[in-house]
Amino acid sequence: TMDAVNKSTVSEFVLLGLSNSLALQMFFFMAFSLLYVATMVGNSLLVITVIADSHLHSPMYFLLTNLSIIDMSLASFATPKMITDYLTGHKTISFDGCITQIFFLHLFTGTEIILLMAMSFDRYIAICKPLHYASIVSPQVCVALVVASWIVGIMHSMSQVIFALTLPFCGPNEVDSFFCDLPVVFQLACVDTYVLGLFMISTSGIIALSCFILLFNSYVIVLVTIKQHSSRGSSKALSTCTAHFIVVFMFFGPCIFIYMWPQNSFLIEKVLSVFYTIFTPIMNPVIYSLRNQEVKTALKKLKNRFLNSNKATPSCHF
């Protein structure tokens, strides 16, 4: 990395944040702090619930706990720094810090994309090939899917970082966002950004778009299958799948939008970057737990267990 830093004269970047007005900054500070705490609590609760309840020891919930862990990571790579920066008025980030943020953003989003695909594969087999489900989606397969998602995430983020390190920076260093992401940072590079923009779109954008199309198709097939076998169990399956579908849609919408038009207005990009790092991580536990009867039941049980242990009464009825 030293060579790259020597080539560039920029040793740090200034994060302009979301707004110049103090009132708005105060509002963002309050809102983001609350959302961050809610994200960490909500996702932790989901993970604890799944681990504590033996009814939830199945592939779908194993993948869901991994999604929660990634969401907590995604919420934590930039938001706490932004929250503390609001308090201290400190606006800069070092060159290495900026590259690190790009790395983690792409690591967690890349991993999440593959994990969402694993979850759709799990639901597809469960609903379209129910008799083979246990043999196809074994615990080993689940672990393999999670490991694969992290490997793909690492490979993807490494490619983005290597790309960022080859960019020559020679002066402009104001990042018009609250964290470093490639589309924003690469507009500060002293090169013709058009060709590089095409490269970036072709990699990230096309990957995102093709994954989305794949996911979209698998859920359409699943939903059609549920419609054909309309029975008592299908309403549960339907609510689970619509939950998955909402999450996928919310995740890919902004992603494709940012990478397909990197030259678009920064306002939209700011809104979307907030959406990604702050709203998506809280939405997953909300959507999955509210649309999922089993999780709701397990949460109630956990609450009762907790209340009973506090009263220190013999909990024979549990």
Side-chain angles (χ1 to χ4, degrees):
T1 58
M2 281 316 292
D3 298 340
V5 178
N6 286 344
K7 268 193 303 205
S8 60
T9 54
V10 175
S11 62
E12 60 176 21
F13 291 97
V14 179
L15 295 170
L16 296 180
L18 292 173
S19 163
N20 296 330
S21 98
L22 272 173
L24 264 177
Q25 279 186 18
M26 197 61 212
F27 167 73
F28 287 136
F29 168 72
M30 298 293 287
F32 293 168
S33 303
L34 282 170
L35 280 168
Y36 181 68
V37 171
T39 300
M40 299 313 273
V41 170
N43 281 296
S44 304
L45 202 60
L46 196 56
V47 172
I48 292 164
T49 305
V50 172
I51 292 170
D53 196 313
S54 56
H55 291 116
L56 302 183
H57 291 182
S58 68
M60 179 167 98
Y61 294 108
F62 173 71
L63 295 172
L64 189 56
T65 37
N66 277 283
L67 187 69
S68 281
I69 291 163
I70 293 173
D71 278 333
M72 287 191 275
S73 312
L74 193 57
S76 301
F77 87 98
T79 314
K81 176 174 164 45
M82 175 184 55
I83 291 170
T84 50
D85 284 358
Y86 273 136
L87 288 177
T88 57
H90 171 81
K91 282 281 172 86
T92 60
I93 184 170
S94 68
F95 184 83
D96 291 347
C98 192
I99 297 293
T100 307
Q101 281 195 340
I102 291 174
F103 176 78
F104 282 122
L105 173 70
H106 286 273
L107 172 65
F108 300 136
T109 48
T111 306
E112 183 154 334
I113 286 176
I114 306 299
L115 198 60
L116 288 171
M117 293 181 78
M119 290 172 80
S120 87
F121 166 73
D122 167 73
R123 289 301 84 202
Y124 173 78
I125 302 293
I127 286 157
C128 300
K129 309 225 184 314
L131 299 177
H132 304 285
Y133 181 70
S135 60
I136 297 175
V137 189
S138 62
Q140 293 86 344
V141 169
C142 285
V143 173
L145 287 169
V146 170
V147 171
S149 65
W150 283 102
I151 291 172
V152 171
I154 290 168
M155 283 162 59
H156 169 66
S157 52
M158 286 304 290
S159 73
Q160 302 292 311
V161 164
I162 291 165
F163 175 54
L165 286 174
T166 57
L167 293 174
F169 296 98
C170 58
N173 71 337
E174 292 195 332
V175 175
D176 195 10
S177 182
F178 65 91
F179 64 88
C180 289
D181 187 13
L182 212 47
V184 196
V185 171
F186 113 109
Q187 281 166 345
L188 304 176
C190 308
V191 280
D192 174 24
T193 52
Y194 182 73
V195 180
L196 286 172
L198 283 177
F199 165 77
M200 191 170 66
I201 295 161
S202 59
T203 56
S204 291
I206 289 171
I207 291 169
L209 194 60
S210 48
C211 290
F212 178 66
I213 291 165
L214 247 169
L215 279 161
F216 190 84
N217 287 339
S218 78
Y219 281 121
V220 167
I221 295 167
V222 164
L223 293 172
V224 167
T225 310
I226 295 171
K227 275 274 171 282
Q228 285 168 355
H229 302 267
S230 49
S231 65
R232 196 178 56 81
S234 72
S235 61
K236 191 177 92 173
L238 190 68
S239 75
T240 306
C241 285
T242 37
H244 280 229
F245 199 71
I246 293 165
V247 170
V248 166
F249 209 79
M250 280 176 48
F251 186 82
F252 280 95
C255 182
I256 290 166
F257 199 87
I258 287 180
Y259 283 97
M260 286 297 178
W261 293 279
Q263 306 295 340
N264 64 3
S265 78
F266 275 118
L267 178 69
I268 297 171
E269 223 160 75
K270 279 185 181 181
V271 171
L272 292 179
S273 60
V274 169
F275 187 83
Y276 253 129
T277 46
I278 292 166
F279 285 105
T280 315
I282 181 101
M283 285 318 287
N284 289 354
V286 169
I287 291 171
Y288 282 115
S289 50
L290 293 183
R291 294 198 64 98
N292 190 315
Q293 205 45 57
E294 286 171 334
V295 174
K296 280 194 222 169
T297 315
L299 270 167
K300 280 201 193 91
K301 275 205 260 181
L302 199 68
K303 191 182 77 178
N304 293 340
R305 194 189 301 185
F306 182 71
L307 291 174
N308 290 339
S309 67
N310 280 1
K311 289 177 200 157
T313 52
S315 51
C316 309
H317 62 276
F318 179 62

